[in-house]
Each structure stands twice: as C-alpha cells, then as structure tokens.
C-alpha cells in the first residue's frame, strides 16, 4: 500500500522528495531491493537535501547493509536537520549500538533521554550498550527502567532478560 501511495504522489508531483523517500523506504524494508532503494533516496536528497527523514531512513538502509560509517554520517545529518526529533535521536543510539560503539550509544541514549525521559527506547539502548561496555549492573538498571516505561513491552523484556544473563543474575 505504501508503494502504491508513493507512486500516486509521484504521478502528481514527480519532484516530491517525501514521496521518493517513502518509495525508497518501502523498497528497502519490504522488497529488500537495496540498489533501487538507494537510487530513490539519492533522488529524494537531490530534490531536497534538507529533508531529514530521507537521511534518517537512508541510514536504516545503510545499517541493513552493515555500512555503519555511512549510516552514522546519514543519521548525523538527519540529527543536524532535526535535533529535537526523538525518533532520529534514539535511532542514532541504535546505530551506534549496532556499530558496536558502546560509548557513543550510551552518550546518545542519555541525550535522547534528556529530550524525553518518558520514552522507553533511550534506556533500552543505554542498557544494551552497557552490556557491550561490560557494565552489567548499569545495564540491568537501565533495562528495568525501559520495561517499566514501556509497561512490559516484549522487546524491552527480552533486553532485560539478556542483561540478567549477561550479569549472571538468576533472580529474574
């Protein structure tokens, strides 16, 4: 459905960066046609280099291809364009975590928590990054907070279970 709507938008306005971005996102995440998605993102960014979500979603494509340096650059550009966007901020923590940069992930998670201390994702990535850094107790504490904020979301609970295992804590 996303592809159909994006193509319809492009029929109306072939120069719509948001439509090219939406088509690229659908092509990357649903079709796994990464070269086609990259071309759509390139078209979107040529039309509007200041469109933060094109940079952000392109970063997701780059992460999927394990092109972490490029993903971090694209994500950083999105963050420069939309510094208060919670989703872009937390995704930068995620990208740092996936790139195995615990310090940067923890720092970005903290910055994101400063923007919104009620969101469950910043403590999730903080905790997961703490496992990378070997900080087991801090990981468990952060992931407990994530579980509480999410009201028991399964992903947050799985992260907490991982942290307990990492800490060799069998009390959970």
């Amino acid at each position: 459905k996303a592809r159909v709507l994006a193509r319809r938008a492009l029929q109306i306005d072939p120069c719509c960066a948001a439509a090219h971005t939406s088509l690229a996102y659908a092509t990357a995440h649903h079709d796994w046609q990464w070269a086609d998605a990259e071309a759509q993102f390139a078209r979107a960014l040529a039309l509007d280099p200041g469109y933060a979500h094109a940079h952000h979603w392109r970063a997701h494509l780059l992460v999927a291809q394990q092109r972490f340096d490029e993903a971090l650059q694209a994500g950083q550009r999105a963050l420069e364009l939309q510094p208060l966007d919670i989703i872009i901020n937390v995704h930068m923590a995620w990208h740092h975590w996936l790139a195995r940069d615990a310090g940067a992930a923890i720092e970005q998670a903290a910055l994101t928590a400063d923007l919104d201390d009620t969101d469950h994702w910043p403590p999730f990535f903080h905790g997961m990054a703490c496992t990378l850094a070997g900080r087991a107790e801090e990981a468990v504490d952060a992931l407990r907070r994530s579980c509480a904020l999410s009201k028991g979301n399964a992903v947050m609970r799985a992260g907490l279970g991982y942290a307990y295992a990492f800490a060799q804590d069998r009390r959970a």
Side-chain angles (χ1 to χ4, degrees):
K1 191 172 187 178
R3 272 186 301 284
V4 169
L5 295 173
R7 286 188 178 118
R8 187 178 315 156
L10 289 171
Q11 287 173 344
I12 295 167
D13 181 2
C15 295
C16 178
H20 283 285
T21 299
S22 294
L23 185 56
Y25 185 90
T27 301
H29 290 280
H30 299 287
D31 302 331
W32 292 54
Q33 299 295 321
W34 292 344
D36 292 344
E38 184 69 36
Q40 285 295 330
F41 281 125
R43 179 71 176 134
L45 290 167
L47 291 167
D48 185 356
Y51 186 45
H53 294 295
H55 293 282
H56 172 208
W57 290 351
R58 181 174 173 264
H60 287 266
L61 170 67
L62 296 168
V63 163
Q65 296 174 322
Q66 297 185 8
R67 295 163 57 189
F68 295 116
D69 290 341
E70 293 173 81
L72 290 169
Q73 289 173 1
Q76 187 59 44
R77 181 63 183 133
L79 195 57
E80 290 167 3
L81 293 165
Q82 294 286 331
L84 300 179
D85 187 297
I86 297 298
I87 300 296
I88 292 172
N89 270 275
V90 80
H91 281 201
M92 284 301 292
W94 175 53
H95 291 183
H96 286 298
W97 174 62
L98 289 172
R100 315 292 287 168
D101 186 345
I106 291 167
E107 182 180 333
Q108 185 62 48
L111 291 171
T112 306
D114 287 345
L115 294 174
D116 181 358
D117 65 357
T118 66
D119 190 315
H120 58 273
W121 286 110
F124 176 81
F125 288 115
H126 180 118
M128 295 305 288
C130 283
T131 65
L132 285 177
R135 294 158 43 182
E137 287 183 38
E138 188 177 344
V140 168
D141 289 345
L143 287 155
R144 278 186 187 146
R145 177 162 170 69
S146 179
C147 281
L149 289 169
S150 74
K151 297 178 177 46
N153 174 291
V155 172
M156 307 310 121
R157 290 175 55 205
L160 179 58
Y162 177 79
Y164 279 134
F166 178 77
Q168 299 179 8
D169 185 335
R170 292 183 169 85
R171 292 175 291 153

